Amino acid sequence: MKFWELYRIISRRKWLVLGMVAITIVAIYLATLNDQQYYQATVQIMPSDTALFRPIMSSPVQSTTGTPEERKSDNQLPNLMSLLKSRGLAERTIQAAGIKEDPNKLLKKIEVSTLPNPGARGHEDLGTDIIQVKLNDSDPQRAVNTINCLAHVFANFYQEISHQEAADNRNFLESELARANRNLSEAAENLRGFKESNGMAATADASSSAVAGLRQATSDSDAANAALAEAQAKLSQIDGALRRVGPTRRVIEGTSNTPMAQQMETQLADLTRQLNDARSKYEDTHPQVIALKESIDQVQGKLQLEKGKISSHVTLVRDPVYDSLLAERARLAYERNGLAAKAGQLAGAVGRAASALRPGRDVTLARMQNEFETAQKTYNDLQTQLNQARINEKETTATGAMRIVDEATSAEGPMGVNKMAYFFMGTLLSLIVGLGMAITLESLDNSIKANVDVERLLSLPVTALIPSGGSITNTALSRITYTDPLSPIAEAYRFLRTDLLLSTEGTNIRTIMVATAKPGQGGTVTVCNLGVSLAMDGKRVILVDADMRRPCLHRTFKVENEVGLSNALCNEKDFDEVVLSTEIDNLFIIPAGPTPSNPSELLGSSRMRALMDWLSDQADYVLIDTPSAVAFTDAVVLSRIVDGVVMVVRAQQVPRGAELQVRELLNKAKANILGVVLNDVEPDTVDSYYYHSHYYPDMANKKPKPLKSLTGVKHLPPTVEQD
């Protein structure tokens, strides 16, 4: 496609292209209305082990023993990350940084995550414990200052919490230790007083030994009874499982003995045994019980899939799960019986130890001794916890629980939506899409737009391209060659005149008919302006209005239509009586006259032939205006008695076959078709119109001068010699 063709397509479809651009720009504007470019500053904070494995505001009596791996379930990293996104911390940061910002808006700009482990690709839960905090802001320096201030405020805030927590824990343990000390002193005093009052100082060792034996026997008996109860609970669980499973199961032959199926069945039996064991210790909501249930469901599903691979007959065989449960039940029954026997023996030992004590005094002594030992153990445990709490308090005071690993020195950016880039790319893409749509619509548009369309449609040469007159009326256009001779439209008609003179030079072509396929094609305007341009060139021209059904020439040149062609053809007037002069030198007109009842017959009569011969002697050119050749036969009938025919086709219309029909009719009438005038063409596609403005830049706003009326002039000047 040539550049100028593309340019003309864009010119014709400019509103489509501009509309696409406008819609795209509006869509981008609305989509990015709330999106702004921002800068991102980042800090990294590393919590200490104390902060990671001791809950914030923990219970004062919580155990602090055990390794970090043993206390991994108490990891507080999510809580610390939530604290960084708290409103209270945001308010403290705003106050410390001295900025004017709403806490909720500040929280929306903060992103908290853990720093990933570079060597943990492809693995889950292998991230680091370093917290990475990012802050987005439109001002890079403000982003850096705010995120650094947030990190320091967070470290100080957590330090306050940790120190206060350690102090509260220490104070609580000190008060509990004081109470335990009082209880221990009271128990010791009660025991000493009881011994002195009962004279038990000499026999204290024997009595204490008997009491200790009773306590040991009782402890052993309680442990045996607890183990017996546990074994009995396991037996109950297995009995229930045996009732649910049943001794036999259905087996699909060919699959039950495969290694995969056997492995799954063994695994299922083992998991079932573990589940029964767990149910005897925990409730069904315990994590271990839930995990075992899920494992059993997964293994059962895989086993069903394995069994479903081969279809064969079904048989009943012993269920290995049932057999495994039976074996486990037998083991537990044996263990229970052993525990029952042991519990009986220990019960006897308890009885014997109790009989060794003296009633009343020894029993009271045993009770007091037990109270003293319990108070002493409680005091020792609290003393250990208090020592650890004092160590923790010193640690939180001496070293910070949060360490800022990497402060923000600069902000990355700009990031986010680059509106200018979006607008640029959107405009470029919309231009491409709009251009593509324009070219597509142009290719689908089969209306007549240029001379190549006419030549392809009618296989006839185009003699002239007449640009569109825009808002100029048809009456003004009909005489524009005379009223506005410097206009580009008048120049286009002069091109038509030149082509006609060159094509008829050396021939006897004098009478020329202008034919149109449909009404409104611009045939009358073409006849008038061609006649005016020929007359202005010094040619003697007579215009004949052969459209006796709807005559127009008399109104264009403002002459009477009382007598005209119809009178001459009906022998009512002589030929010279119907020829009228106009304001334009060398230009004469024969109006249509009164409308007859048989226009076609009159135009095909011998009288019409005689008139054409007479007019050929009177003028250099005789131009005849005719009605639509598709609607009436007037033009086809008249084409047989004229020297040549010029067809007029209006541009910007989709051909519907009328043009081809007229051409075929004229060819059948053996008419001499001189060419085609393409009327009402887009001005920017006519080269003469495009370059005309370089010479006459002010002609676009010039108004045509009016034509004076010549009513009553009915004389034909003497004939001049032919050129």
Side-chain angles (χ1 to χ4, degrees):
M1 181 178 291
K2 296 181 181 180
F3 172 78
W4 286 111
E5 293 180 1
L6 182 61
Y7 171 76
R8 287 169 178 171
I9 291 174
I10 296 176
S11 298
R12 282 193 294 269
R13 308 282 182 177
K14 60 184 177 182
W15 293 115
L16 171 64
V17 178
L18 293 177
M20 287 293 299
V21 174
I23 292 173
T24 303
I25 291 176
V26 171
I28 293 175
Y29 173 77
L30 294 177
T32 61
L33 187 61
N34 296 324
D35 295 332
Q36 301 291 336
Q37 282 190 306
Y38 60 88
Y39 295 84
Q40 190 175 80
T42 306
V43 296
Q44 295 176 1
I45 304 172
M46 185 173 69
S48 65
D49 287 344
T50 304
L52 285 174
F53 300 104
R54 185 182 62 215
I56 300 175
M57 302 304 292
S58 61
S59 173
V61 296
Q62 183 175 351
S63 175
T64 58
T65 62
T67 64
E69 289 75 12
E70 293 172 345
R71 292 182 280 118
K72 187 66 176 178
S73 60
D74 295 333
N75 193 312
Q76 293 300 301
L77 193 60
N79 293 339
L80 296 175
M81 296 171 65
S82 299
L83 182 60
L84 279 164
K85 293 276 290 185
S86 64
R87 180 182 175 86
L89 192 65
E91 292 176 348
R92 289 189 175 208
T93 302
I94 292 172
Q95 184 177 4
I99 59 176
K100 295 181 179 180
E101 183 72 88
D102 182 76
N104 294 325
K105 292 183 178 180
L106 179 61
L107 291 176
K108 291 180 180 179
K109 297 179 181 180
I110 298 174
E111 300 175 8
V112 182
S113 61
T114 57
L115 190 66
N117 190 341
R121 295 180 180 177
H123 301 278
E124 296 181 359
D125 198 23
L126 292 178
T128 66
D129 290 332
I130 298 178
I131 302 175
Q132 184 172 254
V133 188
K134 298 180 179 180
L135 185 137
N136 304 325
D137 200 291
S138 58
D139 186 346
Q141 190 58 44
R142 185 171 59 188
V144 171
N145 296 337
T146 304
I147 195 65
N148 288 334
C149 185
L150 173 68
H152 287 284
V153 168
F154 172 69
N156 295 333
F157 179 61
Y158 189 83
Q159 185 75 5
E160 293 176 8
I161 294 177
S162 301
H163 181 73
Q164 184 62 40
E165 177 188 354
D168 292 343
N169 192 19
R170 175 182 55 77
N171 293 331
F172 177 81
L173 289 174
E174 287 177 349
S175 63
E176 289 294 313
L177 183 64
R179 186 168 62 84
N181 189 28
R182 290 194 298 271
N183 293 336
L184 178 61
S185 299
E186 183 179 353
E189 182 64 25
N190 291 337
L191 180 61
R192 185 185 61 79
F194 181 79
K195 287 181 178 182
E196 290 178 355
S197 63
N198 289 276
M200 299 177 63
T203 60
D205 293 339
S207 179
S208 298
S209 176
V211 171
L214 176 61
R215 292 180 60 193
Q216 183 63 41
T218 303
S219 176
D220 293 342
S221 177
D222 292 342
N225 288 327
L228 178 62
E230 181 179 351
Q232 187 62 45
K234 289 182 179 180
L235 280 173
S236 300
Q237 292 287 339
I238 290 179
D239 289 339
L242 287 172
R243 288 192 296 270
R244 290 192 299 271
V245 174
T248 60
R249 64 184 179 89
R250 300 174 63 192
V251 177
I252 301 175
E253 290 294 335
T255 60
S256 61
N257 293 325
T258 61
M260 181 63 70
Q262 291 178 357
Q263 181 181 359
M264 290 182 181
E265 289 172 350
T266 303
Q267 184 179 2
L268 181 62
D270 183 56
L271 290 172
T272 304
R273 184 174 63 255
Q274 294 180 27
L275 177 62
N276 292 326
D277 186 37
R279 279 178 168 171
S280 65
K281 298 179 180 179
Y282 311 112
E283 298 291 336
D284 287 345
T285 56
H286 193 274
Q288 184 177 352
V289 176
I290 295 174
L292 287 171
K293 286 182 178 180
E294 293 177 352
S295 300
I296 290 174
D297 292 339
Q298 292 177 0
V299 173
Q300 287 178 342
K302 293 179 180 179
L303 184 60
Q304 291 298 327
L305 291 175
E306 185 67 24
K307 290 180 179 180
K309 291 182 179 179
I310 301 176
S311 177
S312 183
H313 65 278
V314 179
T315 58
L316 295 177
V317 298
R318 293 286 298 178
D319 192 340
V321 175
Y322 186 85
D323 292 339
S324 175
L325 291 174
L326 282 178
E328 181 68 13
R329 189 185 187 287
R331 185 186 69 79
L332 287 175
Y334 178 79
E335 181 180 344
R336 181 198 59 182
N337 294 334
L339 289 173
K342 183 178 180 180
Q345 294 175 359
L346 290 174
V350 170
R352 289 191 297 273
S355 62
L357 295 174
R358 286 170 290 183
R361 188 181 64 177
D362 289 343
V363 173
T364 303
L365 177 63
R367 178 178 59 78
M368 289 185 174
Q369 185 72 29
N370 186 49
E371 289 178 354
F372 172 77
E373 292 179 356
T374 302
Q376 189 175 33
K377 183 177 183 302
T378 301
Y379 178 83
N380 292 334
D381 291 342
L382 287 173
Q383 184 66 48
T384 302
Q385 294 183 25
L386 178 59
N387 293 334
Q388 184 64 42
R390 287 171 176 169
I391 293 173
N392 291 339
E393 185 178 8
K394 290 181 180 180
E395 288 181 353
T396 56
T397 303
T399 61
M402 298 292 161
R403 187 173 67 182
I404 302 175
V405 179
D406 190 6
E407 289 191 1
T409 57
S410 62
E412 299 180 10
M415 307 173 69
V417 177
N418 188 345
K419 290 191 176 182
M420 294 305 298
Y422 273 87
F423 281 126
F424 174 77
M425 293 300 299
T427 302
L428 181 61
L429 291 177
S430 61
L431 282 173
I432 295 174
V433 173
L435 181 59
M437 293 180 63
I439 295 175
T440 302
L441 292 176
E442 192 72 16
S443 63
L444 297 176
D445 185 7
N446 61 346
S447 62
I448 298 174
K449 296 179 287 294
N451 54 344
V452 292
D453 299 327
V454 177
E455 292 172 355
R456 183 170 54 249
L457 175 67
L458 300 177
S459 300
L460 294 173
V462 176
T463 58
L465 298 176
I466 310 301
S468 173
S471 60
I472 304 176
T473 63
N474 284 338
T475 302
L477 278 176
S478 299
R479 56 177 185 260
I480 194 170
T481 309
Y482 174 73
T483 58
D484 193 6
L486 296 181
S487 66
I489 300 178
E491 193 63 37
Y493 283 113
R494 282 193 284 271
F495 274 106
L496 173 61
R497 176 195 67 187
T498 302
D499 184 86
L500 181 63
L501 291 174
L502 293 175
S503 61
T504 60
E505 185 178 6
T507 65
N508 292 324
I509 296 178
R510 292 289 181 268
T511 57
I512 300 173
M513 181 189 77
V514 176
T516 58
K518 299 174 289 186
Q521 298 293 291
T524 301
V525 174
T526 302
V527 166
C528 294
N529 283 290
L530 178 59
V532 171
S533 62
L534 286 170
M536 295 178 69
D537 192 44
K539 306 300 181 183
R540 188 179 178 89
V541 182
I542 298 178
L543 300 180
V544 179
D545 193 349
D547 187 357
M548 290 181 285
R549 305 171 190 275
R550 194 178 62 181
C552 298
L553 293 184
H554 66 283
R555 288 195 296 269
T556 301
F557 294 97
K558 296 185 179 181
V559 298
E560 295 289 346
N561 192 36
E562 295 178 358
V563 294
L565 180 61
S566 60
N567 300 106
L569 296 181
C570 293
N571 288 321
E572 296 176 357
K573 296 289 182 180
D574 293 334
F575 293 155
D576 58 351
E577 291 180 325
V578 296
V579 179
L580 306 179
S581 62
T582 66
E583 180 187 16
I584 304 170
D585 294 337
N586 298 322
L587 182 63
F588 302 90
I589 180 174
I590 298 179
T595 303
S597 60
N598 55 345
S600 298
E601 288 75 7
L602 291 178
L603 293 175
S605 65
S606 57
R607 181 73 174 172
M608 185 64 185
R609 292 177 181 272
L611 176 61
M612 289 294 101
D613 293 338
W614 183 81
L615 290 175
S616 298
D617 296 334
Q618 301 297 319
D620 296 323
Y621 288 97
V622 179
L623 304 179
I624 307 168
D625 186 24
T626 59
S628 168
V630 170
F632 306 102
T633 61
D634 300 8
V636 178
V637 170
L638 192 57
S639 67
R640 304 183 64 181
I641 61 176
V642 297
D643 299 330
V645 178
V646 174
M647 289 185 63
V648 178
V649 177
R650 183 178 291 277
Q652 316 308 323
Q653 292 185 354
V654 178
R656 301 179 61 181
E659 293 80 7
L660 285 172
Q661 182 180 352
V662 171
R663 188 200 64 179
E664 294 301 324
L665 290 174
L666 293 176
N667 287 336
K668 289 180 181 180
K670 299 184 187 232
N672 180 20
I673 303 177
L674 302 177
V676 181
V677 174
L678 185 58
N679 188 36
D680 202 23
V681 182
E682 288 290 338
D684 58 351
T685 62
V686 182
D687 292 337
S688 62
Y689 189 99
Y690 180 78
Y691 294 109
H692 187 274
S693 61
H694 290 274
Y695 295 91
Y696 301 101
D698 299 329
M699 292 304 299
N701 298 324
K702 184 178 179 181
K703 295 182 179 180
K705 62 182 180 180
L707 187 69
K708 292 187 291 184
S709 176
L710 294 177
T711 303
V713 179
K714 298 182 180 180
H715 299 289
L716 181 65
T719 303
V720 299
E721 293 184 0
Q722 302 295 330
D723 292 342

